[in-house]
Structure formats: structure tokens, C-alpha cells
Amino acid sequence: RHSRCEDGTGVQTWALRSSLAAVKRSGEDANQALVAILFGCACIESVVNEVLYELRTVPSHVLPHGYDRLATLAREAGLQDERAPLEKKLRVLGFGVTGQAVDLGRAPFQEMSLLLRLRNWIVHLQPEEAAVRYSDSEGPMRLVADDPHKLVQELMRRSVIDRLEGPAGPSLVGALRSESVARWSYCVAYDVVSAIAAWFPTWQRRLVAGHPKPKAEWA
């Protein structure tokens, strides 16, 4: 199976382990925080895709009780399309197994939304307009903004990063390159994966196998 690594573990396990490894290195290499964000998102998406793969390929008579209906729902909702948004996949799968609407505005999915936005910003690096001015300092960052980037403000509101003192740089990268952001990224990915796996008791152990729990002080 293409969703398995050489050691037999799922790619979602590999992705989250890679995120955790980045967290451990982020204290010495600030750029590892960006790696933690990328692999945290990759883990979430791979867990959802693992579920959809099972629903698509396992014969209905072999699927756990009730999962055949979920397989039909997933197919009819177009979740097997690679272009289907992750949020849509979560809403349909969550409703299909619990019978209740998935509130993506509540934890842990609310944090996932911000994590995905940060990932998309890193990956696409779309040009953005910012009101900046020249700084009086002699440092390398001569262009500064009085208001932090909107995503930086989201991280500050969650106390992931400290409130910036003085002018803020126009780029988001500097704010993301921190050990606290790396730890937050891993915690969010772990919580979301655990929540998704809880929807599927039969597959839960496989979906979360090998995922080390975040340290309590990281929360």
C-alpha cells in the first residue's frame, strides 16, 4: 500500500513524527518551526485520506458495521475527489459517523483552521500589501509596519507568541520562526488527529499509533 512507510507504519505517523522532530530542533534552528507547521498539516490530511482510502477500497461486506453507509455518503458527497476541501471531508465524515454536525469553529478544529492558513501562507507566499515605513534603527530590517500581520495577531491572541514590542516587520516569517510556534503546531495536529480517530473506534489504534503525546508544558 502506498499509504505505508517501509517500517509498516502509516504515512500519517511518519508525518507527525517529522513534526515532532522539528519541534525538538526548533530551539537551535528557528526554521524548524516552519517544518513543524508543514508536517503537522500533512499528518491531519493523511489521516483523513487514510479513512477515505479504506472506505473506497475495502469491500462493503468487510467494512465495520455501518461504515458501508459512510462509504456511500463519502462517494456521493465527492470526498474521493482529490480537490475536495479538507473542511468538507471533516464535516461529511464527522456527521456520517456521529449524526451530529461538526463545529469547525470549536477546538481542536478552530486551531486547525489557523494552522492550515499558516501552512498555505508558507507554501504559496502570495504577495501582500502592507503599510510600512522606514525605521530609524540601523538594523537589517529598515522597513517596518506599525500593525503585525493578521496571522501574527491570531497567534498573539492565542498566546502562542508574545506580544511584539515596538514596530513589527512586514513579513510573517520572522514571527513564525520560534520554538513556541513549533510546539503549538504539533499540539494542534495531535489533538485534531486524535479527534478524527475517535470517530472510528475500529481504526482508532491504527490512525493514532506511534503518535507521542505532546508534553504538558507545551499546551
Side-chain angles (χ1 to χ4, degrees):
R1 288 183 51 181
H2 296 294
S3 60
R4 296 284 149 190
C5 299
E6 292 181 358
D7 62 357
T9 60
V11 292
Q12 66 272 15
T13 298
W14 168 79
L16 199 56
R17 285 177 180 173
S18 298
S19 178
L20 179 59
V23 173
K24 295 178 179 179
R25 295 192 297 264
S26 62
E28 300 178 356
D29 180 3
N31 288 322
Q32 292 298 316
L34 307 181
V35 177
I37 292 173
L38 296 178
F39 277 107
C41 291
C43 179
I44 295 171
E45 293 182 327
S46 64
V47 165
V48 173
N49 291 333
E50 173 83 3
V51 171
L52 291 173
Y53 178 86
E54 294 292 323
L55 294 175
R56 183 178 71 251
T57 61
V58 176
S60 59
H61 67 278
V62 180
L63 285 171
H65 177 70
Y67 283 26
D68 55 335
R69 295 181 58 187
L70 180 61
T72 301
L73 179 62
R75 183 177 63 253
E76 294 301 317
L79 300 192
Q80 303 295 358
D81 188 336
E82 294 181 356
R83 297 169 295 180
L86 176 62
E87 289 83 357
K88 178 181 179 181
K89 294 177 181 179
L90 289 172
R91 289 183 186 278
V92 174
L93 290 176
F95 178 77
V97 293
T98 68
Q100 298 179 345
V102 178
D103 188 353
L104 298 181
R106 300 185 63 180
F109 299 109
Q110 182 183 40
E111 301 298 290
M112 179 199 72
S113 176
L114 177 56
L115 184 64
L116 291 172
R117 290 166 63 194
L118 293 172
R119 188 274 308 272
N120 292 341
W121 190 93
I122 294 171
V123 171
H124 300 297
L125 291 177
Q126 292 285 357
E128 296 178 318
E129 293 185 359
V132 298
R133 57 182 173 80
Y134 280 103
S135 171
D136 295 331
S137 68
E138 297 298 328
M141 183 61 71
R142 296 300 307 277
L143 288 177
V144 297
D146 290 321
D147 295 321
H149 191 282
K150 58 185 178 182
L151 294 178
V152 175
Q153 296 181 39
E154 288 290 332
L155 290 170
M156 290 192 298
R157 186 171 64 83
R158 290 167 167 80
S159 299
V160 177
I161 58 177
D162 295 331
R163 185 166 297 277
L164 301 177
E165 296 182 1
S171 174
L172 175 60
V173 173
L176 294 182
R177 296 172 66 251
S178 74
E179 189 174 8
S180 60
V181 171
R183 291 176 173 179
W184 170 82
S185 301
Y186 182 82
C187 291
V188 172
Y190 182 91
D191 289 344
V192 171
V193 167
S194 298
I196 296 171
W199 294 343
F200 304 95
T202 305
W203 298 336
Q204 185 174 14
R205 184 175 180 180
R206 177 177 28 156
L207 294 175
V208 300
H211 295 171
K213 292 184 178 181
K215 295 182 179 180
E217 61 267 26
W218 291 4

